[in-house]
Amino acid sequence: MDAELQRMITDIGPRLRSLRRQRGMTLEALSAASGISVSGLSRLESGKRRPTLDLLVPLARVHRIALDQLVAAPASGDPRVHLTPRRAHNGSVVVSLTDYPGRVQVFKQVIGPRRPKLVTHAGYEWLYVLAGELRLLLGERELTLHAGEVAEFDTGEPHWFGPANDQVVEILHLFGPQGDKAQVRARPGASRRNEVSDS
């Protein structure tokens, strides 16, 4: 085994631990989601167990990332665009999913605990909670959104959002110029727990 391959294999364990912690998951929760035992996951993260496809494929599915990103495989002529996470100034991890200047921008965001600070700016935002609980302050209102729930609002109103507790929250975040709103064409009959909408 050459040195580069050995380094790639050695780095997988710490990368798995980092991914799990970024998502606020315990070993027990990851075990339930992946079907891999807690002890197996612990040994994998610490480098005491060799990573194999039957372990890495379910973990890539749970973390919703490509297998080559999980193992940090070098580029090999793959035509797909590999999204690059970046750390924002507020400590959250942001992955830009679109690049359309002047139009609606879409981001995937993982936000860690932080102190609330209301802000205002021109534009319109739409938030969809993927995992965890999101605390949204909107003027005088305070809401808690759970996985699968959505909020949309004019950013001219003082607002702040972040985790509702000491765990990270993972969201899809759409932001557009003033007046660009998500156009909802169909709605389920059942009422939602929280709804913040100007439409």
Short mmCIF file of all heavy atoms in Angstrom, two decimals, residues 5 14 18 25 35 37 41 45 49 61 64 70 72 75 78 80 82 90 92 102 109 123-124 126 147 154 194:
data_model
loop_
_atom_site.label_atom_id
_atom_site.label_comp_id
_atom_site.label_asym_id
_atom_site.label_seq_id
_atom_site.Cartn_x
_atom_site.Cartn_y
_atom_site.Cartn_z
N LEU A 5 -2.36 6.29 -0.22
CA LEU A 5 -3.51 5.46 0.09
C LEU A 5 -3.62 5.22 1.59
O LEU A 5 -4.70 5.26 2.17
CB LEU A 5 -3.42 4.13 -0.67
CG LEU A 5 -4.58 3.16 -0.47
CD1 LEU A 5 -5.92 3.79 -0.83
CD2 LEU A 5 -4.36 1.89 -1.28
N PRO A 14 -11.16 9.98 11.67
CA PRO A 14 -11.39 11.34 12.19
C PRO A 14 -12.44 12.11 11.38
O PRO A 14 -13.20 12.89 11.94
CB PRO A 14 -10.01 11.99 12.07
CG PRO A 14 -9.04 10.85 12.12
CD PRO A 14 -9.75 9.72 11.43
N SER A 18 -15.85 13.75 12.90
CA SER A 18 -16.14 15.16 12.70
C SER A 18 -17.53 15.35 12.07
O SER A 18 -18.31 16.21 12.50
CB SER A 18 -15.07 15.79 11.80
OG SER A 18 -15.37 17.13 11.53
N MET A 25 -24.94 14.23 16.28
CA MET A 25 -25.42 12.86 16.46
C MET A 25 -24.57 12.11 17.48
O MET A 25 -23.34 12.24 17.49
CB MET A 25 -25.36 12.09 15.14
CG MET A 25 -26.30 12.58 14.07
SD MET A 25 -26.27 11.53 12.59
CE MET A 25 -27.36 10.20 13.12
N GLY A 35 -27.37 1.05 11.01
CA GLY A 35 -27.36 -0.40 11.19
C GLY A 35 -26.01 -0.95 11.60
O GLY A 35 -25.81 -2.16 11.66
N SER A 37 -23.11 -1.34 14.54
CA SER A 37 -23.10 -1.34 16.00
C SER A 37 -22.33 -0.14 16.55
O SER A 37 -21.44 0.41 15.89
CB SER A 37 -22.48 -2.62 16.54
OG SER A 37 -21.08 -2.63 16.29
N LEU A 41 -18.81 1.45 15.20
CA LEU A 41 -18.63 2.86 14.84
C LEU A 41 -17.49 3.48 15.63
O LEU A 41 -16.67 4.23 15.09
CB LEU A 41 -19.93 3.63 15.09
CG LEU A 41 -21.10 3.32 14.15
CD1 LEU A 41 -22.38 3.95 14.67
CD2 LEU A 41 -20.80 3.79 12.73
N GLU A 45 -14.16 5.11 13.99
CA GLU A 45 -13.77 6.50 14.19
C GLU A 45 -12.37 6.62 14.81
O GLU A 45 -11.64 7.57 14.52
CB GLU A 45 -14.79 7.22 15.06
CG GLU A 45 -16.11 7.48 14.37
CD GLU A 45 -17.07 8.31 15.23
OE1 GLU A 45 -16.70 8.64 16.38
OE2 GLU A 45 -18.18 8.61 14.74
N ARG A 49 -10.60 -0.01 13.46
CA ARG A 49 -11.27 -0.91 12.51
C ARG A 49 -11.08 -0.37 11.11
O ARG A 49 -11.26 0.81 10.86
CB ARG A 49 -12.76 -1.01 12.85
CG ARG A 49 -13.51 -1.99 11.95
CD ARG A 49 -14.93 -2.18 12.43
NE ARG A 49 -15.64 -3.18 11.62
CZ ARG A 49 -16.86 -3.58 11.85
NH1 ARG A 49 -17.55 -3.07 12.86
NH2 ARG A 49 -17.43 -4.49 11.08
N ARG A 61 -24.72 7.42 3.21
CA ARG A 61 -26.17 7.65 3.04
C ARG A 61 -26.73 8.45 4.21
O ARG A 61 -27.51 9.38 4.03
CB ARG A 61 -26.90 6.32 2.90
CG ARG A 61 -26.73 5.65 1.57
CD ARG A 61 -27.46 4.33 1.52
NE ARG A 61 -27.25 3.64 0.26
CZ ARG A 61 -27.31 2.33 0.11
NH1 ARG A 61 -27.57 1.55 1.14
NH2 ARG A 61 -27.11 1.77 -1.08
N ARG A 64 -25.64 11.90 4.02
CA ARG A 64 -26.07 12.52 2.77
C ARG A 64 -24.92 13.19 2.02
O ARG A 64 -24.99 14.33 1.58
CB ARG A 64 -27.21 13.54 3.04
CG ARG A 64 -28.46 12.90 3.60
CD ARG A 64 -29.60 13.87 3.68
NE ARG A 64 -29.40 14.93 4.64
CZ ARG A 64 -29.62 14.82 5.95
NH1 ARG A 64 -30.06 13.69 6.44
NH2 ARG A 64 -29.43 15.83 6.74
N LEU A 70 -16.52 11.26 1.37
CA LEU A 70 -16.29 10.65 2.67
C LEU A 70 -14.86 10.15 2.81
O LEU A 70 -14.24 10.27 3.85
CB LEU A 70 -17.28 9.50 2.88
CG LEU A 70 -17.33 8.87 4.26
CD1 LEU A 70 -17.72 9.88 5.32
CD2 LEU A 70 -18.31 7.71 4.26
N ALA A 72 -12.41 11.25 0.77
CA ALA A 72 -11.53 12.27 0.20
C ALA A 72 -10.71 11.71 -0.95
O ALA A 72 -9.50 11.93 -1.04
CB ALA A 72 -10.62 12.87 1.28
N ALA A 75 -9.71 13.58 -7.40
CA ALA A 75 -10.54 13.72 -8.59
C ALA A 75 -10.05 12.78 -9.67
O ALA A 75 -8.85 12.61 -9.88
CB ALA A 75 -10.50 15.16 -9.09
N ASP A 78 -14.31 12.85 -12.85
CA ASP A 78 -15.74 12.84 -12.55
C ASP A 78 -16.35 14.16 -13.00
O ASP A 78 -15.90 15.23 -12.59
CB ASP A 78 -15.92 12.66 -11.03
CG ASP A 78 -17.36 12.42 -10.64
OD1 ASP A 78 -18.26 12.77 -11.43
OD2 ASP A 78 -17.58 11.90 -9.54
N ARG A 80 -19.20 15.45 -12.25
CA ARG A 80 -20.09 16.09 -11.28
C ARG A 80 -19.39 17.25 -10.57
O ARG A 80 -18.18 17.26 -10.41
CB ARG A 80 -20.56 15.08 -10.24
CG ARG A 80 -21.45 13.99 -10.81
CD ARG A 80 -21.75 12.94 -9.77
NE ARG A 80 -20.53 12.29 -9.34
CZ ARG A 80 -20.46 11.41 -8.33
NH1 ARG A 80 -21.53 11.11 -7.66
NH2 ARG A 80 -19.31 10.85 -8.02
N HIS A 82 -18.45 19.00 -7.26
CA HIS A 82 -18.31 18.64 -5.85
C HIS A 82 -18.42 19.91 -5.01
O HIS A 82 -17.59 20.80 -5.12
CB HIS A 82 -16.99 17.92 -5.61
CG HIS A 82 -16.90 16.62 -6.35
ND1 HIS A 82 -17.51 15.47 -5.90
CD2 HIS A 82 -16.33 16.30 -7.53
CE1 HIS A 82 -17.29 14.48 -6.76
NE2 HIS A 82 -16.58 14.97 -7.76
N ASN A 90 -20.06 33.49 11.40
CA ASN A 90 -20.83 33.22 12.62
C ASN A 90 -20.61 31.80 13.15
O ASN A 90 -21.28 31.38 14.08
CB ASN A 90 -22.32 33.48 12.39
CG ASN A 90 -22.90 32.60 11.30
OD1 ASN A 90 -22.29 31.62 10.87
ND2 ASN A 90 -24.10 32.93 10.84
N SER A 92 -21.17 28.93 11.51
CA SER A 92 -21.94 27.88 10.83
C SER A 92 -21.16 27.37 9.62
O SER A 92 -20.25 28.03 9.12
CB SER A 92 -23.31 28.41 10.41
OG SER A 92 -23.18 29.43 9.44
N GLY A 102 -27.78 37.93 -8.28
CA GLY A 102 -28.98 38.72 -8.48
C GLY A 102 -30.27 37.94 -8.42
O GLY A 102 -31.35 38.51 -8.54
N GLN A 109 -27.04 24.68 5.28
CA GLN A 109 -26.34 25.29 6.39
C GLN A 109 -26.43 24.40 7.62
O GLN A 109 -27.50 23.86 7.93
CB GLN A 109 -27.00 26.65 6.69
CG GLN A 109 -26.08 27.71 7.17
CD GLN A 109 -26.76 29.07 7.21
OE1 GLN A 109 -27.80 29.30 6.59
NE2 GLN A 109 -26.18 30.00 7.93
N GLY A 123 -34.33 41.94 1.29
CA GLY A 123 -34.42 40.58 0.75
C GLY A 123 -35.57 39.80 1.34
O GLY A 123 -36.42 40.33 2.08
N TYR A 124 -35.58 38.51 1.02
CA TYR A 124 -36.65 37.61 1.45
C TYR A 124 -36.01 36.25 1.70
O TYR A 124 -35.18 35.80 0.91
CB TYR A 124 -37.73 37.52 0.35
CG TYR A 124 -39.05 37.02 0.86
CD1 TYR A 124 -39.96 37.90 1.43
CD2 TYR A 124 -39.38 35.68 0.79
CE1 TYR A 124 -41.19 37.45 1.92
CE2 TYR A 124 -40.59 35.22 1.27
CZ TYR A 124 -41.50 36.11 1.83
OH TYR A 124 -42.70 35.66 2.31
N TRP A 126 -36.33 32.01 3.03
CA TRP A 126 -37.15 30.82 3.16
C TRP A 126 -36.27 29.75 3.80
O TRP A 126 -35.18 29.47 3.31
CB TRP A 126 -37.60 30.39 1.77
CG TRP A 126 -38.57 29.27 1.65
CD1 TRP A 126 -39.92 29.35 1.63
CD2 TRP A 126 -38.27 27.88 1.48
NE1 TRP A 126 -40.49 28.11 1.46
CE2 TRP A 126 -39.48 27.18 1.37
CE3 TRP A 126 -37.08 27.15 1.41
CZ2 TRP A 126 -39.55 25.81 1.20
CZ3 TRP A 126 -37.14 25.78 1.25
CH2 TRP A 126 -38.37 25.13 1.14
N ALA A 147 -37.81 19.33 12.10
CA ALA A 147 -37.48 18.77 10.78
C ALA A 147 -38.72 18.68 9.92
O ALA A 147 -39.77 18.21 10.35
CB ALA A 147 -36.84 17.39 10.94
N ASP A 154 -39.93 38.38 5.20
CA ASP A 154 -39.24 39.53 4.65
C ASP A 154 -38.10 39.89 5.61
O ASP A 154 -38.31 40.05 6.81
CB ASP A 154 -40.23 40.69 4.54
CG ASP A 154 -39.66 41.88 3.80
OD1 ASP A 154 -38.49 42.23 4.05
OD2 ASP A 154 -40.38 42.46 2.98
N ASN A 194 -46.17 25.34 12.88
CA ASN A 194 -45.73 26.74 12.84
C ASN A 194 -45.78 27.19 11.41
O ASN A 194 -45.30 26.51 10.52
CB ASN A 194 -44.28 26.87 13.36
CG ASN A 194 -44.16 26.54 14.82
OD1 ASN A 194 -44.96 26.97 15.62
ND2 ASN A 194 -43.14 25.79 15.18
#
